[in-house]
Amino acid sequence: MRVLGVNGWPGASHDGAACLVVDGEVVALVEEERFTRNKHAYGEAPLNAAAHCLAEGGFTLDDIDVVAHGWDLPKLFGDRGLNWFADDAAALEHLLPKALFPRSRDPRLTFVNHHIAHAASAYHLSGRDRGAILVLDGQGEDVSTTLAVGIDGEIKTLRSHTPGWSLGYFYAAVCEYAGLGADAAGKMMGLASYGTPQDLTFGGALDFTDEDFTVGVVPPDLRSTGSTDEETATIRHWLRHLEKALPDAPNRSVRRFDPRVGRYTKVTDRDPFEYRDIAATAQAALERAVMALVRGLLRESGETTLLVAGGVGFNATLNGKLMRMPEVQDLFVQPLAGDQGVSLGAAVWCAAQEGDRIRPMEGSVAWGPQWDADAIRRVLEASGTAYTEPADIAAATADVLAAGGVAGWFQGRAEGGPRALGHRSMVAVPNPEGTRDRVNVRIKDREAWRPFAPSMQEEAAEALIGTTTPLPYMIVTTPVTEAGAAVMPAVVHSDRTTRPQTVSAEVDPLYHRLIGEVGGHTGTPVVLNTSFNGRDEPVVCNPR
């Protein structure tokens, strides 16, 4: 069966993406932002992404059996009294117009419940036959938290929380309060490690039990009118309460044009670093709430395997705490945890429903575009860029890094998701500690306190992070060993943890060899790895 999974809708979405699944195997996946260069592709249909996936498979829409969308948009619009299309043909034409996607027939169009798509992306691609499933994000059609169980290919929902009680929106509200912006959860997770948690209830707004949490400042039945979600209303409730409950006033911001970078940037009244204790409190509250949910989910389901998806699943610090819970014997966090991942989840859910056996993830999400050497040469020559072609690119790059340089490492197919995993990465030797500040401030033009992560050969993981468990997706934090802290200080957070990627020679031989060549110079096969992009830009995609 051939399924084109998509996320994104003209004028009403974010993180548009497309995924092609053929007979249960992922053939291609890429996000729309990689082509349009608009971070998160707000309001953009996945036109470029879908075209790439079809081309990668050698197909047109005539060859596709199902187009699966990672939201139940007819239900979402219908429940809110918003206009929807008369039939699926009109909806498909709006999403993938024939002028751009010529076809003699329409494939079937299926709209998959958003949290089911997230759950399917974790369950069907985990390689586990069964497990407890936790989906946490801003919200889906009408829920923000879903507790489910996957057994023998079927997903059963156990219980859920409404959008008003969204942990994703709670975290976003604190981000906004601290001047980071509501869409800056990754920044606040990094800032939290520098602070000290205070009142986890935020003045009585949150309450925790052993197996759940409640929210006291947002009505659980909150419903916005004339809108497809409750994000604005929920965050407004939280901000009003935070102004009353917190000792520090909100960190106001304005947008100003920065001629140096040629775009509008946000300027805050105060340095967001001053809000580190508030960030630490929000992080600790999130961890307490989610760990309670997990305890209840595992008890109710009788499972010891935990599968996680949804945007909150990008919180690597939280995931590290979950991995170390005594109740959790096996953890899989979907590396495409955000809404780009529902293109994948919708596709594999439909394929599984039709009886296809889904091939699990095997340590890589490099399913995007790639270019051969001739194509790269043409771009370099057209731009007037001087270049050399060393006989051994890994050894030559390692020489640069060992001499204190920073390299943009561009190889093979582009990764999906926000984590660069050795295909579109900036790399450096993670020692001395000052390398972190140099890359943050001089190269990536971002806050000096932002943390970095290491990529290490999996053979070195036990010495550096004290575990042999494969961690290929850079989505879980772990404590570092004394030896690790000594040799990679530029990627060790202030709380003595790091967010590692363990690299397998079988899965990614060239990147594994680069890290090994660096180890030949430094004595330790590990590099600092950060996404290859500038501030407020998507990860680079093509040679240009």
Side-chain angles (χ1 to χ4, degrees), residues 485-531:
V487 299
M488 53 179 194
V491 295
V492 177
H493 304 178
S494 59
D495 58 0
R496 285 294 295 269
T497 65
T498 196
R499 179 167 49 89
Q501 177 196 9
T502 59
V503 181
S504 157
E506 181 179 1
V507 172
D508 202 339
L510 182 57
Y511 193 43
H512 184 274
R513 193 159 63 80
L514 167 67
I515 298 168
E517 292 286 347
V518 170
H521 289 278
T522 65
T524 309
V526 60
V527 296
L528 177 155
N529 174 9
T530 184
S531 55

Side-chain angles (χ1 to χ4, degrees), residues 174-234:
V174 182
C175 288
E176 183 73 30
Y177 196 89
L180 297 168
D183 192 18
K187 288 186 182 182
M188 195 163 79
M189 181 186 71
L191 180 60
S193 66
Y194 294 92
T196 302
Q198 309 294 322
D199 171 22
L200 301 194
T201 74
F202 281 86
L206 291 169
D207 189 28
F208 309 95
T209 67
D210 286 343
E211 296 188 352
D212 210 339
F213 71 94
T214 57
V215 176
V217 296
V218 185
D221 58 351
L222 176 70
R223 177 56 65 96
S224 299
T225 57
S227 172
T228 56
D229 62 49
E230 279 65 54
E231 178 177 13
T232 300
T234 302

Side-chain angles (χ1 to χ4, degrees), residues 375-423:
I376 295 171
R377 289 187 195 101
R378 287 195 293 271
V379 171
L380 292 169
E381 289 162 1
S383 65
T385 302
Y387 67 92
T388 60
E389 295 189 57
D392 187 334
I393 190 68
T397 305
D399 290 344
V400 171
L401 303 187
V406 177
W409 180 256
F410 178 110
Q411 60 114 352
R413 300 183 71 173
E415 310 98 333
R419 312 288 190 227
L421 299 171
H423 286 235

Side-chain angles (χ1 to χ4, degrees), residues 150-175:
I151 300 176
D152 296 333
E154 298 295 327
I155 296 171
K156 177 184 177 183
T157 298
L158 302 177
R159 54 192 171 95
S160 60
H161 279 308
T162 57
W165 284 15
S166 168
L167 290 173
Y169 290 163
F170 152 69
Y171 206 79
V174 182
C175 288

Side-chain angles (χ1 to χ4, degrees), residues 348-400:
V348 298
W349 184 84
C350 285
Q353 292 293 303
E354 295 293 331
D356 283 352
R357 185 174 181 84
I358 307 302
R359 181 174 176 177
M361 301 176 97
E362 297 177 343
S364 174
V365 290
W367 294 316
Q370 62 183 330
W371 285 264
D372 62 22
D374 284 340
I376 295 171
R377 289 187 195 101
R378 287 195 293 271
V379 171
L380 292 169
E381 289 162 1
S383 65
T385 302
Y387 67 92
T388 60
E389 295 189 57
D392 187 334
I393 190 68
T397 305
D399 290 344
V400 171

